[in-house]
Amino acid sequence: TYDLAANYQAGPLHLGAGYEKNGAANQYALRGLYEMGAFTFGGYVQRDKNGYAAGNRTTFRLSGMYAMGNTELHANYGHAGDYSGVVGDQAANQYTLGINQNLSKRTKVYAFVTKVADKGTIYGDFQSLAVGVRHNF
């Protein structure tokens, strides 16, 4: 397996690119993030070839955050496309809304709800709610 990644940062702009090759399968991805005061916007796009069932597909995700003091509001949307050469619809969409309350630099409480809307049969339709505490050591 070969992996290659490059990252670039210039003030509020963060960019990245990656490539992986594992036998006949390979993928490449581009990502970007921009910080604009209280708002942060990000996203990525990834193309994989000869992956699942030797098909090709494109996935992407768009995300945003709004910070108000120690509180962060998060939203994101992700899409996993159909695999080429596979019969049927395998695409899915994911929606997530969340909130973080930062108690300190290393500790936060969070809650989020996410929904996966599967157009096919790979992922399944589901919703989940999560609540927790995260501490970075």
Side-chain angles (χ1 to χ4, degrees):
T1 301
Y2 299 97
D3 284 304
L4 177 65
N7 292 296
Y8 173 79
Q9 182 177 340
L13 178 65
H14 309 261
L15 301 173
Y19 175 78
E20 176 187 27
K21 180 161 180 53
N22 186 355
N26 65 71
Q27 68 84 22
Y28 52 92
L30 297 172
R31 68 150 184 97
L33 182 114
Y34 189 76
E35 299 167 313
M36 188 171 60
F39 292 95
T40 301
F41 302 99
Y44 73 83
V45 62
Q46 178 179 339
R47 178 74 176 164
D48 60 282
K49 296 184 178 185
N50 300 317
Y52 174 75
N56 305 328
R57 80 166 176 180
T58 301
T59 59
F60 68 86
R61 181 167 303 277
L62 301 171
S63 63
M65 179 187 76
Y66 179 71
M68 301 174 294
N70 290 340
T71 304
E72 301 169 352
L73 302 175
H74 295 262
N76 80 63
Y77 167 74
H79 175 77
D82 285 322
Y83 283 100
S84 64
V86 178
V87 176
D89 194 354
Q90 317 91 44
N93 297 307
Q94 180 183 17
Y95 311 89
T96 304
L97 293 173
I99 185 168
N100 291 336
Q101 181 64 38
N102 296 298
L103 303 176
S104 70
K105 284 185 171 186
R106 300 184 323 165
T107 305
K108 72 171 97 177
V109 292
Y110 65 88
F112 69 85
V113 61
T114 189
K115 176 177 176 49
V116 172
D118 190 357
K119 295 180 181 180
T121 58
I122 293 178
Y123 308 99
D125 285 329
F126 70 87
Q127 298 178 50
S128 67
L129 172 67
V131 179
V133 177
R134 180 173 143 189
H135 180 77
N136 293 322
F137 292 95

